[in-house]
Amino acid sequence: MTGPYVLTFSCGDAVGIVAAVTGLLADHDGFILDSQQYADLDTGRFFMRVAFRGAGPRFPAGLAGVQAAFAPIIARFAMDARISDAAIKPRFVIAVSQGSHCLNDLLHRWSTDNLAIDIAGVVSNHEHQRRLTEWHGVPFHHLPVSDANRAEQEAAILTVMADAGAEHLVLARYMQILSQDLSAKLSGRCINIHHSFLPGFKGAKPYHRAHERGVKLIGATAHFVTSDLDEGPIIEQAVERVDHRDSVEDLIRIGRDVEAQVLAKAVRWVAEQRVLIDGRKTVVFR
């Protein structure tokens, strides 16, 4: 057996899409491991993810052969498609500022083989997380930023990614707003995490302000970065109940735990090619 491979795609909805995909796999001795699909009736778009492997002599040789086999169907339905070798871990660069909770969680999951990615490097506008990063054997890149050098600093981030062969950037509490240019260049490839309260509190010291208002739920949101601040397509969310007995310190501790868990799930879904963008929202095949 060869593979596994993963095919994901979106296209205009039509009769026969699933039959075409599964029929092609059957004709080429493909064995389906998992298949999920969704039709967005509001937009007329169809989304599908199928994981499969070879189970006979007619199965194409290698990723290039699989891609060639699917090319006629992709063209026929005008699919926005991607086929990947699931045995190859996608490479990520992590951006962080001073807080360590999200970075530490990702590094731990990665180093214990509980997150199927390759962390190719960490970039930061501070030196605070160098020791943690290098302890895990990951390259650390200190890239200070100010209004005067923002364009050069963001270009350096892209260089780090290119040199490391990394496709994705994770903002693990990176406390800088990306420019519209960088956001556009990393469209669909940059994941951010931020606190998400009900009601929401923007600006400085959100946990203090939430405590003052006596909130009953706190949480976190992971989303793709766009030029609209904190309004990109949402990948994963979670909330935790709190009450009047919780201090500001309690809210911060609980909030950080939720942030780390939500970000790790979002990274996992993206790494496993389970997230497809549907306009301003996402389809997540969990």
Side-chain angles (χ1 to χ4, degrees):
M1 293 187 179
T2 58
Y5 298 95
V6 176
L7 163 69
T8 55
F9 67 85
S10 66
C11 62
D13 206 354
V15 174
I17 299 173
V18 175
V21 171
T22 56
L24 184 146
L25 287 171
D27 291 341
H28 289 77
D29 289 334
F31 183 86
I32 295 175
L33 302 169
D34 180 68
S35 179
Q36 298 181 64
Q37 56 272 337
Y38 169 70
D40 188 335
L41 300 181
D42 293 328
T43 64
R45 298 289 292 177
F46 181 80
F47 302 82
M48 187 170 184
R49 176 186 188 273
V50 56
F52 56 94
R53 67 188 182 198
R58 294 180 296 175
F59 193 78
L63 178 60
V66 173
Q67 292 170 333
F70 273 100
I73 289 179
I74 292 173
R76 173 185 168 191
F77 291 101
M79 295 176 176
D80 181 6
R82 176 175 179 175
I83 305 173
S84 63
D85 185 339
I88 300 175
K89 297 179 181 179
R91 294 176 67 79
F92 284 71
V93 166
I94 301 174
V96 65
S97 288
Q98 299 185 58
S100 65
H101 56 288
C102 287
L103 172 64
N104 184 59
D105 183 79
L106 292 174
L107 288 171
H108 174 72
R109 292 174 190 265
W110 164 75
S111 65
T112 55
D113 292 325
N114 286 304
L115 192 60
I117 66 173
D118 277 337
I119 298 179
V122 171
V123 299
S124 180
N125 55 322
H126 295 277
E127 285 277 9
H128 293 66
Q129 303 310 323
R130 177 182 292 277
R131 181 178 179 184
L132 171 65
T133 301
E134 293 181 345
W135 186 85
H136 282 277
V138 175
F140 181 87
H141 305 271
H142 181 217
L143 302 176
V145 64
S146 66
D147 290 339
N149 78 329
R150 189 170 303 277
E152 292 78 6
Q153 192 258 9
E154 290 188 344
I157 292 175
L158 291 175
T159 298
V160 169
M161 294 179 65
D163 291 346
E167 181 179 2
H168 303 280
L169 179 67
V170 180
L171 307 184
R173 301 303 290 162
Y174 179 65
M175 308 305 290
Q176 295 289 321
I177 299 174
L178 302 190
S179 69
Q180 291 190 4
D181 180 64
L182 184 58
S183 298
K185 288 177 179 176
L186 295 177
S187 177
R189 300 190 290 126
C190 184
I191 305 169
N192 189 28
I193 183 70
H194 65 83
H195 56 81
S196 176
F197 294 109
L198 300 175
F201 295 97
K202 296 182 179 180
K205 295 187 175 181
Y207 290 101
H208 292 75
R209 296 167 62 199
H211 183 263
E212 291 171 358
R213 288 287 303 278
V215 300
K216 309 307 180 190
L217 287 172
I218 63 174
T221 296
H223 62 92
F224 285 118
V225 171
T226 65
S227 58
D228 296 322
L229 181 61
D230 292 340
E231 294 188 13
I234 294 170
I235 305 168
E236 182 64 37
Q237 292 179 295
V239 295
E240 188 73 30
R241 183 163 290 280
V242 296
D243 63 28
H244 59 277
R245 295 168 295 182
D246 293 306
S247 66
V248 172
E249 289 72 23
D250 291 329
L251 297 190
I252 292 173
R253 172 180 52 80
I254 295 168
R256 285 174 175 171
D257 286 345
V258 177
E259 288 172 7
Q261 293 170 27
V262 169
L263 182 58
K265 286 183 179 180
V267 170
R268 182 183 303 278
W269 303 150
V270 170
E272 294 178 356
Q273 208 169 315
R274 295 182 179 275
V275 184
L276 289 83
I277 295 178
D278 182 12
R280 297 186 63 187
K281 57 185 179 180
T282 62
V283 173
V284 183
F285 291 124
R286 291 189 277 183

